[in-house]
Amino acid sequence: MAVYTHLSADDISALIAWYDVGDLISAKGIAEGVSNSNWLIETTGSSGVPSRFILTIYEERTKLSDLPFFLSLLDHLSSKNGPVPRTIHDREGQAFRMVEGKAAALIEFLPGVSIDIPHHDQAVSVGAAVGWIHDAAKDFGGARENDLGPAKWRELLGKCDRQSLARIDAALPDLLARKMDEIEDGWPTDLPRSIVHADLFPDNVLMLGTQVTGLIDFYFACTDFAAYDLAVTHAAWSFGPDGSNFNRAIGQAIITGYEQARQLSRSERDALPILAQGAAMRFIATRAYDWIHTPADALVTRKDPMDFVRRLDYYGTAGQTAFQPR
Amino acid sequence: MAVYTHLSADDISALIAWYDVGDLISAKGIAEGVSNSNWLIETTGSSGVPSRFILTIYEERTKLSDLPFFLSLLDHLSSKNGPVPRTIHDREGQAFRMVEGKAAALIEFLPGVSIDIPHHDQAVSVGAAVGWIHDAAKDFGGARENDLGPAKWRELLGKCDRQSLARIDAALPDLLARKMDEIEDGWPTDLPRSIVHADLFPDNVLMLGTQVTGLIDFYFACTDFAAYDLAVTHAAWSFGPDGSNFNRAIGQAIITGYEQARQLSRSERDALPILAQGAAMRFIATRAYDWIHTPADALVTRKDPMDFVRRLDYYGTAGQTAFQPR
């Protein structure tokens, strides 16, 4: 949620001169995404019609070697007429360019706003959008291992010392050790895999009314269980901001929407409770790690790991009940 | 340079429903201005043509009682067809509305980008824009005392203890005490007064090529010496970012541009060296105060007071030479 890199208007003009988008009319640094710098820019357009783009400068959390995967995924999905922004390629056909040692990409601007608290029909649309991604990505040639899977959660939690974890919450060290074992023991091995977004929080979905107009920030996308992506989305949308107040109707609407695009198998349904606990653990692991390792004076706002400890607790207690109609 | 207030899409939709601007299409928090929260929003428009606006939520540094002055000044200046955004009034005719205890205003969006390093013709345009403000504001009915004048600089510096100032630079406590006396002793009393912007840094000027397309952020505007505003602009544009590398040609271009719109009197010209030292002291005072009183872990980036100590030093040494053709 910040602009980490300073780019002057001249820098941006020099960059877009490599693209067939016309001249710069406006550039505003925007508070979008958590780890990269973004500008909403407007240009005179390639055919005289003013056009808007998101200019992203990739900061250290996004690996340069992953960019071709992420950006070609955007191109693949947008070519299927889904609500995914396309990557603008430069005159040499490149999807990104280097600017002062950092990668920069020009992405299509999409209308829509992020919803804080979804109503039923919006949740159906969000679920359907997740299913659409899985379906539309079937013939995508790329693949990327999920580098934020169970092994990584254990590794990150291993770098959080007991004392620091206990300072967040006294019960946390024992709880996480026990739940991490349970999740790894119960983790499925043979569910259908897909290209997954893996981070489809409300921030990353643009809507107009009940219509999804934009799915953005694919920078955690990877190859993993399709039902895990649904579980992440369920965990991200069905609770209050602090992870309490589970809304079963919203959770159910997300699953209903998903199945409009892609039917869940029996084994996928059975796995939802463990996948959802895994989804909660994934965000606990990165948030606890950041909480403990981010200097208190850093410009970045740390996110409270307890928001997902509450979700973990809920999914562990409720089991299948969390995914059944009320 | 941040978004301090959280507004959901629903909050923004509810707010703009009070205005004749149509429905919300897009809203992005932007890194604009230093003390207020801003969003670039797009709506379906009052007559079906999508329209863009800056939504500003005024944070604590902007006094509510000053808002009618600031916003009616925008309306006055934009009605003169200058590059000033107009205030959008709600259906009841109000220029601002309260949202969760804070004032909110909808301001016209203007194209253009902020220039880091101006070239000659751009500097002429910027000078001309300052002169235009002074001329266009002649028949503006409002007035506002400058609450950031010499008395306030002394007050702010008085709240910076010697030891803390010396930690910024060992020579600073004595230098500022001496210069503050000199500036107050030499401060003019009878120069022509005007409505002044008083903060026309490159951030607050939008340009396309050599044309000024937007003068923004009038939240320090007040009634003061017209030539003081020119001195602030001169100090803001004619140096490198750290206050060294004075560029006399740029300084001269700003004065040339100014005089295209409004001729300086002999006494105004004579006063430029002391006014420019005052301008430097104004930013030293607020920056030193913020530097010393902002907690190290605050989300706000503190600005180095030394950037303006170097300008103060230059103007003190160069005298009239700083304002003469090279």
Side-chain angles (χ1 to χ4, degrees), chain A residues 170-232:
Chain A
L172 211 49
D174 290 340
L175 175 76
L176 294 183
R178 181 168 56 79
K179 294 302 290 185
M180 192 65 232
D181 285 346
E182 276 180 37
I183 292 169
E184 275 195 325
D185 288 348
W187 201 244
T189 51
D190 56 357
L191 295 179
R193 287 173 187 275
S194 172
I195 296 291
V196 298
H197 184 287
D199 192 41
L200 207 64
F201 278 71
D203 290 4
N204 293 332
V205 178
L206 302 174
M207 302 193 83
L208 284 174
T210 60
Q211 197 195 346
V212 173
T213 55
L215 299 166
I216 59 174
D217 222 345
F218 277 76
Y219 304 114
F220 290 104
C222 55
T223 312
D224 207 334
F225 301 137
Y228 171 67
D229 209 14
L230 176 60
V232 168

Side-chain angles (χ1 to χ4, degrees), chain B residues 113-168:
Chain B
V113 293
S114 295
I115 299 300
D116 270 17
I117 302 167
H119 59 64
H120 176 273
D121 292 356
Q122 289 172 324
V124 171
S125 295
V126 169
V130 180
W132 175 82
I133 292 173
H134 299 172
D135 189 57
K138 265 187 192 154
D139 57 346
F140 177 58
R144 179 177 172 262
E145 199 188 345
N146 188 358
D147 57 11
L148 266 171
K152 185 69 175 190
W153 313 336
R154 185 176 283 283
E155 180 194 324
L156 287 169
L157 291 174
K159 290 176 181 167
C160 299
D161 63 291
R162 222 189 135 76
Q163 218 177 341
S164 301
L165 280 178
R167 225 176 287 130
I168 298 172

Side-chain angles (χ1 to χ4, degrees), chain A residues 59-281:
Chain A
E59 307 290 348
E60 55 189 49
R61 282 214 173 180
T62 305
K63 272 192 247 158
L64 199 55
S65 56
D66 285 332
L67 265 191
F69 170 83
F70 297 142
L71 298 174
S72 59
L73 177 59
L74 294 187
D75 286 344
H76 177 87
L77 294 175
S78 61
S79 76
K80 304 264 175 176
N81 294 317
V84 174
R86 66 195 174 95
T87 310
I88 312 303
H89 291 246
D90 70 11
R91 291 200 179 87
E92 293 164 351
Q94 301 300 315
F96 65 94
R97 299 192 60 88
M98 299 305 291
V99 177
E100 294 178 26
K102 294 175 179 176
L106 209 55
I107 313 278
E108 185 184 10
F109 168 84
L110 294 177
V113 293
S114 294
I115 300 300
D116 270 17
I117 302 167
H119 57 65
H120 177 272
D121 292 357
Q122 290 172 323
V124 171
S125 296
V126 169
V130 180
W132 174 83
I133 292 174
H134 298 172
D135 189 56
K138 266 187 190 152
D139 57 346
F140 176 58
R144 177 176 173 266
E145 200 189 343
N146 188 357
D147 58 9
L148 265 173
K152 184 71 176 189
W153 312 336
R154 187 176 281 284
E155 180 194 322
L156 287 169
L157 291 174
K159 290 178 181 166
C160 298
D161 64 290
R162 223 188 135 76
Q163 214 177 344
S164 302
L165 280 177
R167 224 175 288 129
I168 297 172
D169 186 278
L172 211 49
D174 290 340
L175 175 76
L176 294 183
R178 181 168 56 79
K179 294 302 290 185
M180 192 65 232
D181 285 346
E182 276 180 37
I183 292 169
E184 275 195 325
D185 288 348
W187 201 244
T189 51
D190 56 357
L191 295 179
R193 287 173 187 275
S194 172
I195 296 291
V196 298
H197 184 287
D199 192 41
L200 207 64
F201 278 71
D203 290 4
N204 293 332
V205 178
L206 302 174
M207 302 193 83
L208 284 174
T210 60
Q211 197 195 346
V212 173
T213 55
L215 299 166
I216 59 174
D217 222 345
F218 277 76
Y219 304 114
F220 290 104
C222 55
T223 312
D224 207 334
F225 301 137
Y228 171 67
D229 209 14
L230 176 60
V232 168
T233 310
H234 192 273
W237 288 78
S238 312
F239 295 82
D242 73 346
S244 60
N245 299 318
F246 175 67
N247 186 327
R248 185 174 301 164
I250 291 297
Q252 195 55 44
I254 284 170
I255 294 172
T256 301
Y258 185 82
E259 291 207 291
Q260 290 175 359
R262 177 182 172 269
Q263 200 69 30
L264 289 168
S265 70
R266 178 62 192 263
S267 52
E268 284 180 303
R269 278 206 167 265
D270 288 348
L272 283 176
I274 191 82
L275 292 171
Q277 290 177 79
M281 189 62 89

Side-chain angles (χ1 to χ4, degrees), chain B residues 3 37 60 120 130 174 193 221 242 246 271 326:
Chain B
V3 178
S37 298
E60 53 189 46
H120 176 273
V130 180
D174 290 340
R193 285 172 189 276
D242 73 347
F246 174 67
R326 53 188 296 167

